[in-house]
Amino acid sequence: MARLSEFWFYFSVNKGAVIGFGVLVFLMLVAIFAPVLAPHAPYQQYREALLTPPSWQTGGNSMFLLGTDAVGRDLLSRLIYGARFSLFIGLIVVTISMVTGVILGVLAGYFRGWVDALIMRIMDIILAFPPLLLALVLVAILGPGLFNAMIAIALVLQPHFARLTRAAVMSEKNREYVVASKLAGAGHLRLMFKTILPNCLAPLIVQGTLSFSNAILEAAALGFLGMGAQPPTPEWGTMLAEAREFILRAWWVVTFPGLAILITVLAINLVGDGLRDALDPKLKRS
């Protein structure tokens, strides 16, 4: 309880992080209760209300608070359901990339030698490509779709976790508590994952938070390019792609999905900054 209080003290010093955390909690609640909050079904089309402007604008309809898209679907409802897809994408991608990256990083940092060289050269090859370009190539090979996009983004983000874990393990593995565990007869698996890894989690948690926002951005970019979630899925990047041709005559169909992506990514990045301040001893304020 004392450690939790200390964590919250250092986290709450960063007011931006507290605001970001509040926004993120709000978005999570919106995603969970989307069927209750959305005024319309996300796929329901109102043919008599194509490209209806927001309710406060001339020609707007009180039925559609943020207006409708080109086929008459309620924009607010699609944005609410889109929060589900974007947060789900971020969670799955970060989980996959963190688990695989941490395992590879622990193996590289613990065993060193040829194991380290092999794993790190593969990570270097992945990092040599621009992330979005590599994700596009992988999705083109696997085929367009939300699942394949998540796999591709997870592979692109994985090297960051592997390199961070490797550096942390290398700095910890010669400490006294590790040597004592080794002398007590602990095996390699126990040393790697029960003795060393728990002491490397702080930077990984921060990296995971920042990768969460990167995953949402990459998924939105792939959706915008037609390689991620496919229409009529209410994913924010796909919504932007569908609205491209109406930018000049229907500003709302582009503006609101773009704002949703901006606010979500900004909130997650602010939380990441707060976590860095709270978990890194070097950055803790006296």
Side-chain angles (χ1 to χ4, degrees), residues 178-273:
V178 179
V179 175
S181 297
K182 191 181 295 185
L183 292 174
H188 291 310
L189 285 177
R190 183 179 181 85
L191 285 171
M192 285 189 289
F193 295 104
K194 293 197 72 175
T195 305
I196 299 175
L197 184 58
N199 293 285
C200 306
L201 290 180
L204 290 173
I205 292 171
V206 177
Q207 180 62 42
T209 307
L210 299 177
S211 294
F212 198 110
S213 62
N214 288 336
I216 292 175
L217 275 177
E218 297 284 352
L222 290 175
F224 182 78
L225 295 171
M227 302 296 281
Q230 300 298 300
T233 304
E235 192 269 327
W236 293 336
T238 306
M239 291 170 66
L240 281 174
E242 292 177 327
R244 273 180 300 192
E245 57 187 292
F246 307 106
I247 291 176
L248 296 179
R249 49 187 276 226
W251 60 269
W252 57 91
V253 293
V254 176
T255 302
F256 293 125
L259 281 175
I261 295 170
L262 171 65
I263 291 169
T264 304
V265 171
L266 179 60
I268 294 170
N269 284 339
L270 289 173
V271 171
D273 286 341

Side-chain angles (χ1 to χ4, degrees), residues 134-157:
L134 180 57
L136 270 173
V137 171
L138 291 172
V139 174
I141 294 170
L142 297 172
L146 185 59
F147 178 77
N148 290 340
M150 290 193 293
I151 296 297
I153 298 168
L155 184 61
V156 168
L157 295 178

Side-chain angles (χ1 to χ4, degrees), residues 142-174:
L142 297 172
L146 185 59
F147 178 77
N148 290 340
M150 290 193 293
I151 296 297
I153 298 168
L155 184 61
V156 168
L157 295 178
Q158 174 186 288
H160 301 288
F161 290 101
R163 291 169 69 92
L164 191 60
T165 306
R166 171 182 176 267
V169 170
M170 286 171 59
S171 68
E172 292 287 329
K173 75 171 190 174
N174 292 321

Side-chain angles (χ1 to χ4, degrees), residues 32-48:
I32 293 169
F33 296 106
V36 178
L37 297 174
H40 304 276
Y43 304 107
Q44 187 174 356
Q45 300 178 8
Y46 296 90
R47 293 296 183 177
E48 72 284 358

